[in-house]
């Protein structure tokens, strides 16, 4: 059944890890020789063979890498392994489809367009195939199989008629083709669903095969023998220790009591996981795997968590998407509310909102697997054991991704990521809840809901205070101050931002916001003191601080100092800074340049009070008091933003005296 010269798979190692074995992996597939031989015999002899077992026991691997290679293609006519998961797109298709299960099965066998296959029955398709005979001109059996056949019974009730039509077509084909044999591979919990159809499909010739976990000797074969084609081997008692560990189950009760059980079987998927982890963790110069290597590296849960973390980090770095965003998408797309695997089909450019290039990278790294069904690529998690690894992660991963989403104004995504962080955190993890409330507040600000934002910020500040996290309290107070600033409540903004800066003195953005609030309440010189201190320390809001200081210096008639700052931010100028620079140029006597820049600022000013006032002052400096008065009047009426009171008084002085 296996080749004499074993070869490593495409990952460069002799174990396949989480994914199922494929037919080309037959040289690495051990421990199932007896089962493969018995199933092959039953499949050829009986009209219906049902292969069943628990999830993860290796049914798909056995079928592809054990049974099919054992049969070969000279003694039997074998069609590709089929799947019958319905494609939801077919349910709304304009092409008449008698059974989505039939079309799905035929799509597994043929690359023809669904529109062509929709016109065929199972019997029609088989009738079109040329008959195969052996060397004595006797017809050879035709073997068809359906993997994960439980998919026939997991649809909604409105697919019952599709199922009945599908079974009728299979029965018709089995009746018409004497040499046709059907194998159904399915999870054992769905066995009761196949019983009503057993008689019509088996037609008096049927068998069942229960696939169990590895027994000890088979597990040792599956552990040791894949290394025969490598320069490594297991040392004394090392493989035995690995299998012993897999046969040992530790149970922790709610009262903290520990019970250690010894089980008779070894789950094949767990064996592949730990062997793969062990192989990957060994230094290159290790040729004998010792018991110490097994004790250090053969841990399923730890490997799964580390495996997911490494693969997702690689994909995140390659595609520029936060790891938390990818993990959240996997949770929402491929894990159902019942904790089972879900599916998603690949669209033209995206799969459930994620770029196809990124999804293909996840497939390459064995996080997802893809299958063609009814002419479309469908994705699901590589294995059920990945569900827990994806669900349970460090909440900070989600929080960091949520902050990235905030920076990109992706409000809904930021909220979803934060909800994931809260769900994955321990119930009493106040730190995560505090960070989450702060992000929820930022989302509310972004979506135009200041009342909710204020409530969320208050909750976050209380939690940070309980934790004695001055930095957290400071960040939330800064956020409240910015919210007040945006709402035009400048005294509240000054109070909140002053408290924030006292707690987080190194936050340059908070200091810049405080200076802006002080300028709005008529304290420009206090604002300059704050900005001077912030710029002396430096930080990530350098350009904003320079621009604001330049604006205030221009308003205080200090043109040379203003121009030094404003010249440094010329590539990032807004109408406000452009008007301030124009005013500084006029005050410095550079009238032509001032007039041009003032015109540019006014063109984009809209109803910006400070911009209009600076333009008014420039007109007066240039000798046009009438134009200056007109612009000053517009500045007083402006509301986006309105003039602070100290500048409003300055504007009134430019108006002509009342008659």
């Amino acid at each position: 059944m296996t080749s004499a010269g074993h070869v490593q798979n495409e990952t460069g190692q002799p174990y396949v890890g989480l994914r199922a074995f494929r037919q080309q992996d037959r040289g690495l597939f051990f421990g199932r020789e007896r089962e493969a031989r018995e199933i092959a015999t039953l499949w050829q002899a009986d009209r219906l063979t049902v292969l069943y077992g628990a999830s993860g026991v290796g049914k798909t691997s056995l079928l592809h890498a054990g049974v099919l290679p054992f049969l070969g293609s000279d003694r039997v006519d074998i069609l590709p392994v089929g799947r019958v998961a319905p494609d939801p797109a077919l349910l709304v298709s304009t092409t008449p489809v008698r059974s989505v299960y039939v079309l799905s099965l035929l799509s597994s066998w043929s690359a023809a367009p669904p529109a062509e296959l929709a016109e065929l029955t199972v019997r029609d398709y088989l009738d079109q195939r040329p008959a195969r005979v052996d060397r004595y001109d006797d017809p050879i059996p035709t073997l068809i199989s359906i993997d994960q056949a439980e998919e026939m019974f997991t649809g909604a009730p409105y697919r019952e008629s599709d199922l009945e039509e599908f079974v009728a077509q299979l029965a018709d084909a089995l009746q018409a083709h004497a040499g046709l044999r059907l194998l159904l591979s399915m999870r054992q919990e769905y066995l009761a669903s196949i019983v009503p159809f057993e008689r019509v499909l088996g037609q008096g010739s049927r068998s069942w095969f229960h696939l169990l976990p590895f027994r000890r000797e088979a597990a040792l074969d599956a552990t040791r023998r894949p290394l025969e084609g490598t320069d490594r081997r297991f040392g004394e008692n090392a493989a035995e220790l690995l299998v012993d560990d897999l046969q040992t189950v530790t149970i922790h009760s709610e009262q903290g009591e520990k019970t250690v059980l010894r089980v008779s079987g070894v789950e094949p998927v767990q064996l592949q996981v730990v062997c793969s982890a062990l192989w990957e963790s060994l230094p290159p110069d290790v040729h004998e795997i010792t018991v110490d290597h097994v004790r250090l590296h053969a841990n399923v849960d730890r490997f799964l968590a580390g495996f997911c973390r490494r693969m997702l980090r690689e994909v995140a770095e390659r595609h520029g998407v936060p790891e938390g965003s990818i993990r959240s998408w996997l949770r929402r797309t491929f894990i159902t509310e019942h904790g089972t695997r879900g599916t998603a089909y690949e669209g033209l450019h995206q799969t459930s909102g994620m770029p196809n290039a990124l999804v293909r990278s996840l497939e390459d790294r064995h996080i997802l697997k893809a299958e063609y069904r009814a002419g479309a690529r469908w994705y699901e998690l590589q294995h059920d054991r990945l569900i827990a690894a994806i669900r349970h992660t460090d909440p900070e991963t989600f929080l960091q991704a949520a902050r990235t989403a905030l920076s990109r104004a992706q409000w809904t995504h930021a909220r979803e990521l934060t909800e994931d962080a809260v769900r994955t955190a321990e119930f009493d993890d106040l730190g995560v809840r505090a960070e989450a409330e702060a992000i929820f507040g930022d989302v509310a600000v972004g979506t135009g809901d200041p009342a909710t934002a204020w409530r969320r910020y208050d909750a976050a500040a209380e939690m940070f205070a309980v934790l004695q996290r001055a930095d957290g309290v400071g960040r939330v107070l800064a956020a409240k101050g910015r919210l007040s600033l945006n709402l035009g409540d400048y005294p509240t903004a000054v109070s909140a931002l002053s408290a924030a800066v006292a707690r987080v003195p190194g936050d340059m953005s908070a200091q810049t916001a405080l200076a802006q609030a002080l300028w709005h309440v008529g304290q420009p010189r206090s604002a300059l003191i704050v900005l001077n201190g912030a710029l002396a320390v430096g930080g990530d809001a350098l350009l904003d601080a320079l621009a604001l200081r330049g604006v205030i210096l221009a308003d205080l008639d200090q043109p040379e100092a203003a121009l030094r700052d404003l010249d440094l931010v010329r590539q990032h100028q807004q109408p406000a800074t452009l008007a301030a620079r124009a005013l500084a140029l006029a005050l410095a006597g550079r009238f032509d340049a001032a007039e041009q820049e003032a015109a540019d600022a006014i063109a984009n000013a809209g109803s910006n009070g400070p911009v209009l006032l600076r333009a008014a002052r420039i007109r007066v400096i240039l000798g046009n008091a009438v134009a200056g008065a007109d612009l000053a009047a517009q500045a007083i009426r402006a509301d986006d933003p309105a003039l602070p009171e100290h500048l409003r008084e300055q504007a009134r002085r430019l108006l002509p005296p009342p008659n």
Side-chain angles (χ1 to χ4, degrees):
M1 185 185 82
T2 58
S3 61
H6 310 314
V7 294
Q8 297 175 340
N9 60 38
E10 71 276 4
T11 65
Q13 64 149 293
Y15 302 104
V16 300
L18 280 172
R19 71 165 174 82
F21 282 83
R22 297 171 298 209
Q23 193 163 352
Q24 58 264 41
D25 299 317
R26 60 188 180 276
L28 303 172
F29 187 70
F30 296 98
R32 291 296 198 190
E33 289 83 357
R34 178 188 61 82
E35 292 91 336
R37 182 171 56 253
E38 291 185 20
I39 293 168
T41 301
L42 292 173
W43 192 4
Q44 294 175 86
D46 296 322
R47 288 294 185 94
L48 172 66
T49 301
V50 178
L51 166 63
Y52 67 96
S55 175
V57 79
K59 300 181 293 297
T60 297
S61 294
L62 175 59
L63 180 58
H64 285 270
V67 178
L68 294 182
F70 183 87
L71 288 166
S73 59
D74 55 339
R75 294 177 293 161
V76 291
D77 181 16
I78 308 176
L79 275 74
V81 176
R83 288 285 295 273
V84 294
D87 179 354
L90 295 176
L91 301 177
V92 296
S93 172
T94 56
T95 303
V97 178
R98 284 187 288 182
S99 170
V100 292
Y101 300 102
V102 171
L103 183 53
S104 296
L105 179 60
L106 296 184
S107 296
S108 300
W109 292 343
S110 172
E116 294 182 15
L117 297 175
E119 301 175 1
L120 301 177
T121 66
V122 175
R123 178 177 174 179
D124 292 337
Y125 182 88
L126 294 173
D127 286 344
Q128 293 177 4
R129 301 181 73 247
R132 298 238 350 246
V133 296
D134 60 17
R135 59 181 175 173
Y136 304 108
D137 289 331
D138 292 326
I140 62 176
T142 299
L143 306 186
I144 62 175
S145 58
I146 299 175
D147 192 20
Q148 299 186 39
E150 67 272 4
E151 292 170 335
M152 292 189 292
F153 311 108
T154 55
Y158 57 75
R159 296 201 184 104
E160 287 181 359
S161 60
D162 290 62
L163 176 59
E164 292 171 358
E165 174 68 22
F166 179 53
V167 172
Q169 288 196 27
L170 284 176
D172 180 54
L174 288 163
Q175 181 69 36
H177 293 263
L180 185 63
R181 303 290 184 262
L182 171 64
L183 183 147
L184 301 178
S185 175
M186 61 193 306
R187 287 162 58 178
Q188 62 188 43
E189 58 264 38
Y190 288 93
L191 276 181
S193 301
I194 198 65
V195 170
F197 308 106
E198 178 188 10
R199 185 177 300 276
V200 67
L201 292 176
Q203 300 177 5
S205 174
R206 54 194 184 273
S207 58
W208 299 65
F209 189 96
H210 187 189
L211 185 62
L212 298 170
F214 282 136
R215 306 298 279 181
R216 178 178 174 79
E217 287 306 315
L220 287 170
D221 269 356
T223 302
R224 294 188 186 116
R225 293 190 63 188
L227 298 187
E228 291 174 4
T230 75
D231 62 353
R232 286 176 174 166
R233 65 182 181 85
F234 278 96
E236 184 178 2
N237 296 324
E240 288 80 358
L241 176 59
L242 187 150
V243 172
D244 286 343
D245 286 346
L246 289 172
Q247 289 184 283
T248 303
V249 178
T250 303
I251 300 174
H252 294 274
S253 70
E254 293 183 359
Q255 291 74 31
E257 298 175 347
K258 183 173 75 171
T259 303
V260 179
L261 302 176
R262 174 84 173 182
V263 297
S264 60
V266 175
E267 296 293 337
V269 67
Q270 293 187 20
L271 185 142
Q272 283 295 317
V273 163
V274 296
C275 287
S276 178
L278 181 62
W279 179 274
E280 290 184 352
S281 64
L282 294 174
D285 58 350
V286 170
H287 301 295
E288 180 174 280
I289 302 172
T290 67
V291 293
D292 289 336
H293 292 126
V294 173
R295 290 192 179 101
L296 182 62
H297 302 291
N299 184 297
V300 175
D301 295 329
R302 185 175 65 197
F303 169 66
L304 284 175
F307 170 79
C308 282
R309 188 164 53 249
R310 291 195 310 274
M311 297 303 101
L312 296 186
R313 186 178 300 125
E314 286 181 11
V315 174
E317 292 175 355
R318 178 175 179 179
H319 295 275
V321 176
E323 178 188 339
S325 294
I326 299 173
R327 193 180 290 270
S328 177
W329 173 77
L330 288 169
R331 284 170 55 100
R332 297 173 187 279
T333 306
F334 298 106
I335 303 176
T336 71
E337 60 183 340
H338 302 295
T340 58
R341 280 188 289 175
T343 60
Y345 74 92
E346 182 182 70
L348 185 60
H349 302 293
Q350 294 185 327
T351 300
S352 293
M354 190 63 74
N356 285 342
L358 186 149
V359 181
R360 294 287 181 104
S361 291
L362 292 171
E363 180 187 3
D364 292 341
R365 288 161 176 80
H366 308 303
I367 297 295
L368 296 177
K369 66 177 180 179
E371 292 183 348
Y372 280 96
R373 306 179 197 171
R377 276 173 63 90
W378 284 81
Y379 289 102
E380 63 184 340
L381 291 177
Q382 181 69 243
H383 194 273
D384 287 336
R385 292 200 58 112
L386 281 176
I387 292 173
I390 289 170
R391 269 182 161 178
H392 301 111
T393 188
D394 180 8
E396 180 56 34
T397 301
F398 290 124
L399 291 174
Q400 188 56 48
R403 296 181 190 109
T404 300
L406 283 176
S407 69
R408 298 172 179 174
Q410 298 170 340
W411 313 120
T412 300
H413 189 39
R415 182 174 61 249
E416 291 174 348
L417 288 164
T418 307
E419 290 168 351
D420 282 338
V422 173
R423 276 194 293 267
T424 58
E426 297 292 335
F427 178 76
D428 58 351
D429 193 334
L430 196 60
V432 171
R433 290 171 55 198
E435 295 287 356
E437 288 294 335
I439 294 175
F440 285 140
D442 292 341
V443 169
V445 171
T447 55
D449 187 358
T452 296
W454 200 267
R455 187 176 68 254
R456 294 286 199 176
Y457 287 147
D458 279 343
E462 290 178 7
M463 294 178 190
F464 281 128
V466 170
L467 294 167
Q468 298 183 349
R469 287 269 308 276
D471 62 323
V473 175
R475 283 190 284 113
V476 174
L477 288 173
K480 292 177 68 174
R482 293 188 190 93
L483 176 58
S484 299
L485 195 60
N486 293 335
L487 294 174
D489 185 356
Y490 302 120
T492 300
V494 169
S495 176
L497 289 164
S498 296
V501 169
R503 289 171 171 80
V504 224
D507 188 342
M508 190 175 192
S509 63
Q511 292 174 305
T512 303
L514 173 59
Q516 189 174 3
L518 289 168
W519 176 76
H520 273 286
V521 297
Q523 300 181 39
R525 299 190 183 280
S526 297
L528 284 178
I529 293 173
V530 172
L531 289 170
N532 289 338
L535 288 166
V537 175
D540 56 2
L542 179 65
L543 294 178
D544 290 339
L546 282 170
L548 180 57
R549 188 171 71 175
V551 166
I552 295 174
L553 288 169
D555 286 342
L556 292 176
D557 296 343
Q558 300 180 36
E560 290 79 9
L563 288 171
R564 279 198 299 270
D565 285 347
L566 296 172
D567 283 345
L568 295 173
V569 296
R570 291 197 67 178
Q571 293 182 345
H572 306 276
Q573 287 189 127
Q574 302 296 320
T577 52
L578 190 60
R581 188 171 187 281
L583 176 58
L585 289 170
L587 290 169
R590 297 163 59 182
F591 302 130
D592 290 343
E595 191 167 15
Q596 180 59 53
E597 293 202 18
D600 292 341
I602 292 172
N604 297 290
S607 187
N608 187 310
V611 169
L612 292 169
L613 175 58
R614 289 167 195 139
R617 291 190 60 194
I618 293 168
R619 290 289 181 269
V620 172
I621 293 171
L622 295 176
N624 192 339
V626 173
D630 180 61
L631 286 168
Q634 293 180 47
I636 291 171
R637 295 192 300 269
D639 59 3
D640 186 26
L643 284 172
E645 187 56 41
H646 68 288
L647 292 183
R648 188 175 295 273
E649 178 58 34
Q650 190 178 90
R652 293 192 188 100
R653 291 197 295 268
L654 299 180
L655 299 177
N659 295 328

